[in-house]
Amino acid sequence: DRQVKIRGFRVELDEIEAVLSQNAGVSQSAVMLGDDQSGSRVLAAYIAKRTGSAPTVKGLRGYLRKKLPEYMIPDVFILVDKLPLTENGKLDRKSLPPPVARGRVVPQERFAAPNDLVESQLAQMWESLLGVGPIGIRDNFFDLGGHSLLAARLIHEIEEKFGKKMSLSSLFETPTIEQLASALCEPTSSYRLSRVVPIQPVGSKAPFFCIGAGPLFRPLAVKLGRDQPFLGLGLQESDKDSLCSPYTLCDIAGYLVKSMRATQPEGPYYLGGWCGDGLIAYEVARQLRAQGQKVELLALFEVSSPTRFENMSHAARIELLVRRLGFHFTNLRRLGLTRSRSYLRRCFRELMRDIERLKWRTVYDLRKRLRHGRLADLEQILYVAASAYQPQPYEGRITLFFCTERAPETGCDGQFGWGKLAAGGLEVYEIPGNHKTIFLEPNVDILAAALSTCLPKT
């Protein structure tokens, strides 16, 4: 079991290696978890090239982004002549050099050197944090392996060095040294702490707001085209101090409505959300309509209504359990003995995750009784609020996007529990893949084409 946890995500190293092995320029690959010179945990990919081929770091990173979510892209790419082997001819992982031993090399095709002191200082910060060098002023922080933890450290260093407040969203808006230095040098520049993250901020069309959108949505934003703005929307960690117990999804949605209207004061609005964030998107849409605003699109990606099991008989619940067991048995038989191990591990992790969330809810209920109901973790706050949410009818139309590889209980009523709530009608698109792979190649092409039909044409 070569599963690791990095930046809050559980990653199967074998899955990354399997994708790398399909690249025409890769002879062998090994992916390990290690520490870079900044002390951060990183995924390191060791690549042995095929004869006559010369893969580049930039090419490998772009190749993986088409097939894997952002959190599975290695931070470090180390190109070697060959990988070390044991006496038995197997890969000797213990003999692989640590990431700090070779470092990362930034492709130099379009290198642009710093022009002034501010750009030089920022370049030094980036090289120290990212462990790469040299870094040009037009290189993208996130393309160089920057992630949320490193971004937080960069923001802190900038505030210490330049005395300017900034947020993660502002780093998305100015992801190169050239752009960031220009903003910092403005006499009146003051970064607004925004809940809106500009995943793809340019374009002339009305923006699509996606609640909780992160790296997983980047391929979808790209597929929608450069003229379609795609904005992530979610609470910041600092917002948890402003939320009062008992935590409700209505209060959380109210915060996000204010952020949406600060970015786009008037409708029509286009918004959506995935999984648990889809419930927040639903409530945001309800509140926008209550304020007299037009919501042109409410897109729910893999979101089932909490009401889907209402009025279900005991016999129907037993039947649903039998169908669920049959679903997993069929998958195990199709995968075979070798591949079924990974499937069983994923099922076990999901079960443990459910148990962990049940613990959150139990602890929260106990604290409320003792009149100490506040929670310190934003993820836990969002979960307990969502678990208690009872959606009220929505006067508009709901558009659902669901995967084809789903367990039977997801769509137990054929409408995923939304039929009776959608007064304006319900439209369902089935996208090939599972809960996450609908956002990855090649399924994301189908998802983007379907979503495009619901978004503004001009």
Side-chain angles (χ1 to χ4, degrees):
D1 184 4
R2 299 189 59 238
Q3 178 195 117
V4 300
K5 187 172 183 179
I6 182 169
R7 298 187 288 276
F9 294 97
R10 297 189 183 277
V11 175
E12 293 279 358
L13 299 180
D14 291 339
E15 292 183 20
I16 305 174
E17 292 178 359
V19 174
L20 279 170
S21 67
Q22 299 170 13
N23 185 284
V26 176
S27 172
Q28 287 181 297
S29 68
V31 180
M32 303 289 289
L33 182 66
D35 297 310
D36 66 6
Q37 51 265 64
S38 69
S40 298
R41 300 292 278 171
V42 296
L43 288 176
Y46 300 82
I47 306 296
K49 69 177 183 178
R50 292 188 185 276
T51 304
S53 301
T56 65
V57 172
K58 183 178 180 180
L60 290 170
R61 184 173 280 121
Y63 170 79
L64 290 176
R65 280 203 173 107
K66 296 178 180 179
K67 298 177 177 292
L68 295 172
E70 191 74 17
Y71 65 84
M72 293 182 71
I73 308 300
D75 306 282
V76 180
F77 287 83
I78 301 175
L79 305 181
V80 298
D81 295 328
K82 61 181 181 179
L83 297 180
L85 302 177
T86 65
E87 294 180 357
N88 297 327
K90 296 183 179 180
L91 177 63
D92 186 2
R93 299 182 185 276
K94 295 181 180 180
S95 297
L96 291 170
V100 69
R102 293 288 295 273
R104 288 168 283 182
V105 179
V106 178
Q108 299 295 299
E109 292 93 337
R110 296 189 298 274
F111 177 77
N115 296 308
D116 55 34
L117 179 60
V118 174
E119 290 183 350
S120 297
Q121 290 173 329
L122 288 173
Q124 292 173 6
M125 287 182 187
W126 287 29
E127 289 173 6
S128 176
L129 284 172
L130 296 168
V132 303
I135 294 179
I137 61 173
R138 298 188 182 95
D139 293 321
N140 188 296
F141 178 81
F142 298 99
D143 288 342
L144 296 177
H147 50 74
S148 57
L149 292 181
L150 289 179
R153 291 171 62 178
L154 176 63
I155 289 169
H156 175 72
E157 289 192 15
I158 288 175
E159 291 178 356
E160 290 286 316
K161 184 74 174 180
F162 299 100
K164 298 289 183 71
K165 291 284 186 180
M166 64 179 298
S167 66
L168 179 60
S169 62
S170 60
L171 190 56
F172 267 94
E173 293 170 347
T174 56
T176 70
I177 290 173
E178 185 177 48
Q179 294 170 329
L180 187 55
S182 177
L184 288 172
C185 289
E186 293 178 6
T188 59
S189 83
S190 176
Y191 283 103
R192 179 171 56 88
L193 297 178
S194 173
R195 300 183 182 97
V196 178
V197 179
I199 295 174
Q200 202 295 93
V202 300
S204 60
K205 299 179 181 178
F208 177 71
F209 292 90
C210 195
I211 310 298
L216 184 65
F217 283 81
R218 196 170 178 183
L220 177 60
V222 171
K223 294 290 183 182
L224 291 175
R226 294 291 294 173
D227 200 34
Q228 177 59 64
F230 194 107
L231 306 179
L233 183 66
L235 296 182
Q236 298 181 21
E237 192 65 30
S238 58
D239 287 326
K240 67 178 183 291
D241 297 327
S242 301
L243 296 171
C244 299
S245 180
Y247 303 109
T248 69
L249 213 67
C250 295
D251 289 343
I252 292 170
Y255 272 84
L256 300 184
V257 167
K258 292 178 182 178
S259 296
M260 282 185 69
R261 299 201 65 182
T263 304
Q264 180 187 337
E266 300 293 328
Y269 291 99
Y270 300 80
L271 72 148
W274 172 60
C275 196
D277 291 318
L279 293 179
I280 303 178
Y282 179 86
E283 180 58 31
V284 166
R286 288 189 69 255
Q287 292 190 21
L288 284 170
R289 290 184 65 90
Q291 294 174 14
Q293 296 299 314
K294 183 177 182 181
V295 178
E296 195 68 35
L297 172 66
L298 171 58
L300 303 182
F301 305 98
E302 285 285 292
V303 186
S304 296
S305 169
T307 64
R308 67 189 185 278
F309 293 122
E310 285 185 355
N311 303 319
M312 178 177 284
S313 66
H314 180 70
R317 293 178 185 272
I318 295 296
E319 180 185 356
L320 196 59
L321 176 61
V322 172
R323 287 170 55 199
R324 181 178 185 180
L325 293 173
F327 169 80
H328 291 300
F329 178 76
T330 300
N331 285 341
L332 290 171
R333 187 169 58 180
R334 175 174 56 85
L335 291 170
L337 181 60
T338 303
R339 295 170 62 195
S340 64
R341 295 173 185 170
S342 177
Y343 183 84
L344 286 171
R345 284 198 296 269
R346 286 197 298 271
C347 291
F348 178 74
R349 289 197 300 270
E350 290 174 6
L351 175 62
M352 295 306 295
R353 184 64 169 163
D354 290 340
I355 293 174
E356 184 180 18
R357 287 173 172 170
L358 179 61
K359 182 180 71 175
W360 292 350
R361 182 74 204 188
T362 303
V363 170
Y364 173 65
D365 288 341
L366 179 61
R367 286 181 177 178
K368 281 200 304 182
R369 292 177 184 176
L370 299 175
R371 298 187 179 182
H372 296 286
R374 292 193 63 83
L375 295 172
D377 187 277
L378 183 59
E379 182 184 5
Q380 294 182 18
I381 290 173
L382 293 173
Y383 172 73
V384 298
S387 64
Y389 181 60
Q390 290 297 314
Q392 299 302 306
Y394 176 65
E395 296 301 320
R397 183 179 183 82
I398 299 177
T399 303
L400 300 179
F401 297 88
F402 263 89
C403 65
T404 56
E405 302 172 19
R406 62 174 182 266
E409 72 272 14
T410 306
C412 58
D413 64 353
Q415 296 181 322
F416 309 95
W418 297 110
K420 295 180 180 180
L421 294 170
L426 185 69
E427 186 174 16
V428 181
Y429 291 90
E430 287 198 336
I431 309 299
N434 60 34
H435 189 61
K436 287 187 178 179
T437 60
I438 61 172
F439 298 102
L440 306 178
E441 295 280 2
N443 304 326
V444 70
D445 291 302
I446 300 173
L447 175 59
L451 182 59
S452 294
T453 64
C454 309
L455 291 170
K457 301 300 183 289
T458 58

